[in-house]
Amino acid sequence: MKQFLFIIGLMAVFIFNGCSNKVEVLLLPEKDGSVGKIIVIQNSKEIILDKPWQRVNTANLDKIELISKESVESDFGSLLDAMPKDVKNYRFYFKFGSSDMVDKSAGKFNEIVKHIKDNGILRIDVIGYTDRAGDDAYNKKLSMFRAKKIVNMLKAKGVDEKIISLEYYGEANPVVQTADGVPRKVNRRVEVTLK
Amino acid sequence: MKILYLIIYFGLFSLILANEVAFVKKSKGDAFILRDTKEFAINIGTKVFEKDTIITKSKSSVGLIFKDNTRISIGYNSRFEIEKYLFEPEKNKEAFVTNLTKGSMECITGLISKVNPKAFKIKTKTATMGIRGTHFIIKVD
């Protein structure tokens, strides 16, 4: 009987824990040391984490603790291991009004192919842009030709087309803002993201 | 006319990956995707869509990279649903709403939380987290 009660008691503890749904939130620094911000909201109560290594549990939102890097590594080792590496960005620049790369960028192309093959890259985003010389419709087309040029070069190097996504936005999203009609070398580009 | 054909061609071309919101970059142990009550195996490279739920068993984990470069790892015994995902920078449309019903996740935010900080939310049964970047862990007991 005692044993039976003990088991019932144990079950009650498990059920209680199972239903309580406590949430733990930990704010970590980025690689460069910078830190973001998280707003935790529970039953209209709101707290903010904005310093690295802060932890809060929804069981008691008033208690914000500081934890050590070591304890995070030991508690969440397998989670940290499963985090994919950061994506890698490349920028290729183009000649004025052309889908030919400038010589310096063309010379760097093999570097990207090597990175794709050495790092098991599974997705490649290729996005074409132009500067603001010329009208919108022309630039939209030009940015498409530039992006397509890079896609074709990747294919020629044996990269599987199915992992490539191609996009083009003409003069949108410039590296350097200029007035309309202004040619600017840094904005004539294709951005490639390796994932 | 030729231009029109080209635009249609490239338009379709970029649709191949268009509906995918993320893909599996890392995977360990026993994990699967629940999609419209059907289960799909998870492998390296598997496509992930809006409304998918990722379920991991013990000693298992999954690492995802999203369209906007957000990276998320999901720990063992977890259940993680992508409720809403929108990343259309040209139209200024962004949304990143997920549900962590159990288990744990680590996240390093990407472009969505940069261009539209209010778009990024993680929900659990009892609490909601507004994410203004950038690197964090959430665990549901």
Side-chain angles (χ1 to χ4, degrees), chain A residues 3 16 36 38 53 110 120 123 126 140 144-145 154 181 183 188:
Chain A
Q3 244 176 348
F16 178 74
I38 297 182
W53 309 109
N110 282 334
R123 293 291 185 280
V126 177
K140 186 97 183 184
M144 173 183 83
F145 286 126
L154 289 169
R188 298 195 285 271

Side-chain angles (χ1 to χ4, degrees), chain A residues 67-78:
Chain A
I67 43 151
S68 70
K69 190 176 179 225
E70 290 69 30
S71 75
V72 173
E73 279 165 0
S74 78
D75 289 356
F76 296 101
S78 65

Side-chain angles (χ1 to χ4, degrees), chain B residues 18 44 73 91 104 135:
Chain B
I44 306 292
S73 64
K91 295 177 194 154
S104 57
H135 186 190

Side-chain angles (χ1 to χ4, degrees), chain B residues 11 31-32 34 36 48 53 63 69-70 72 75 86 101 105 122 126 130 140:
Chain B
F32 60 92
L34 191 64
D36 300 327
V48 177
T53 299
N69 302 338
T70 295
I72 289 179
L86 251 183
T101 342
M105 64 179 283
I122 297 174
T126 54
V140 177

